[in-house]
Amino acid sequence: EAKSQGKGRQVVYSAEMDQRSAEQARLAADLRTALDTGQLQLHYQPIVALPGGELHGVEALIRWTHPERGPIGPGLFIPAAERTGLIVPLGAWILEEACRQAARWAYELGGAAPRTVSVNVSARQLREAGFAGEVAAVLRRTGLAPHMLTVEVTETAVFDGGTALTELHAIAALGVSIALDDFGTGHSSLGLLRTCPADILKVDKSFIDDITEGGQQAVVAAALIRICAGMNLRAVAEGVETAEQAAELYRLGYRFAQGYHFARPLPAEAIAAYRPMGAAPGLAA
Ligand code: C2E
Ligand code: MG
Ligand code: MG
Ligand code: MG
């Protein structure tokens, strides 16, 4: 119980501790066990080429099946892991697992393998001195070519200051791609593009949702693709849920997308069977 755990600490926060942070503390404790007992798994969501939907790359997304509570989404437990610092060993595991899987696909599937694997890296990981060195070590251990790895960071993580930008430059120097995730939802967006060695801009789902209704957000999506073209950045539209959105994005100049319309995050074994929607069934292996 939170109260007894708080005893003896400098700050007794049992009373002030809201339900949310109590919940997060419990999750973080369970997550430690999860990491040690194999309750965690990576799923992979296809990143596809427009307009056809052919597989381009995949994004690794962590999944946790809690022994009592069932599946718990990363939106809930990643913040808990960030607060406790557990994200550092957890993130190291995620990076290595994803790189190992991508190397395995390249070996097993050849030309049909995803060309890149994207791994989400949190602000806390990026602030660790030597993170770039760890990325280099993982690439060596797994045998994955650097150009096949993309590191996804949010604007906020980069803006966090400190050594984040230094680490990003060191990672870019390895030949690894850098993607700015959820772009447009953080702060400092446009100024960041000058200082951050980004290769890819992932346009947040909130700018895609109303794209076919010609709403305010659609204006942003249209502006961002022009910025990307002008700055030689690759744009990826996130959260594409309908064929209409995909068609409109293509019309605006987007060439890469990700979303439920194409595929949900899938277990690693299912990636080899991914086919663009509407492909002739006879062509499936
Ligand atoms: P993200 O990196 O922006 O990942 C995209 C999220 O959008 C994923 O949620 C994905 O399942 C979801 N998504 C994809 N297409 C659609 C769509 O068409 N519609 C809707 N409604 N959602 C879609 P997920 O897996 O729940 O992850 C949520 C967030 O948690 C991620 O956002 C990322 O910030 C974080 N996360 C997930 N896995 C990891 C990880 O391995 N490490 C770290 N540090 N963070 C992670
Ligand atoms: Mg991401
Ligand atoms: Mg994202
Ligand atoms: Mg997002």
Side-chain angles (χ1 to χ4, degrees):
E1 197 218 340
K3 193 169 188 172
S4 56
Q5 281 171 8
K7 231 176 239 171
R9 294 194 192 170
Q10 279 196 318
V11 182
V12 180
Y13 42 85
S14 58
E16 306 92 78
M17 198 188 245
D18 58 23
Q19 250 187 331
R20 200 182 135 88
S21 53
E23 161 81 358
Q24 288 215 341
R26 209 174 308 120
L27 278 179
D30 288 358
L31 192 54
R32 175 79 254 181
T33 313
L35 182 57
D36 297 335
T37 59
Q39 296 167 22
L40 300 172
Q41 208 192 357
L42 293 184
H43 279 196
Y44 298 88
Q45 186 177 32
I47 297 170
V48 306
L50 293 175
E54 298 85 7
L55 185 70
H56 172 73
V58 292
E59 176 177 4
L61 294 160
I62 190 146
R63 294 294 177 260
W64 179 14
T65 310
H66 192 284
E68 285 120 40
R69 302 175 49 176
I72 304 179
L76 215 60
F77 68 82
I78 290 288
E82 283 168 350
R83 272 165 57 156
T84 57
L86 188 62
I87 192 68
V88 174
L90 177 60
W93 177 81
I94 292 165
L95 181 66
E96 180 134 6
E97 177 72 14
C99 289
R100 202 170 295 286
Q101 181 59 58
R104 197 178 297 141
W105 278 321
Y107 177 75
E108 290 175 356
L109 305 177
R115 294 221 290 249
T116 68
V117 65
S118 297
V119 177
N120 292 285
V121 168
S122 81
R124 182 71 182 262
Q125 286 173 276
L126 209 55
R127 277 205 307 267
E128 291 276 305
F131 181 67
E134 185 190 316
V135 173
V138 167
L139 290 171
R140 269 197 307 276
R141 279 202 295 275
T142 60
L144 188 71
H147 70 266
M148 293 185 71
L149 175 64
T150 297
V151 163
E152 292 195 5
V153 294
T154 62
E155 299 153 84
T156 311
V158 180
F159 194 74
D160 228 16
T163 56
L165 211 50
T166 314
E167 292 298 323
L168 274 186
H169 277 282
I171 293 167
L174 296 171
V176 171
S177 299
I178 311 285
L180 287 174
D181 204 357
D182 304 334
F183 192 81
T185 62
H187 45 226
S188 83
S189 308
L190 295 180
L192 199 68
L193 293 179
R194 283 179 308 177
T195 50
C196 174
D199 307 284
I200 298 157
L201 205 144
K202 298 192 78 171
V203 178
D204 191 68
K205 181 179 186 305
S206 57
F207 301 112
I208 310 302
D209 285 340
D210 73 349
I211 200 166
T212 51
E213 282 113 71
Q216 291 285 323
Q217 308 293 42
V219 177
V220 177
L224 285 176
I225 192 67
R226 302 190 61 163
I227 289 172
C228 284
M231 298 188 79
N232 204 17
L233 290 162
R234 172 172 286 176
V236 178
E238 290 193 291
V240 179
E241 295 185 340
T242 68
E244 291 72 26
Q245 287 171 343
E248 178 61 12
L249 285 163
Y250 183 70
R251 197 186 68 77
L252 289 175
Y254 283 80
R255 293 299 176 262
F256 296 95
Q258 186 179 353
Y260 294 170
H261 169 63
F262 299 101
R264 299 210 166 224
L266 303 165
E269 313 82 71
I271 288 296
Y274 172 81
R275 295 292 179 278
M277 285 213 325
L283 295 178

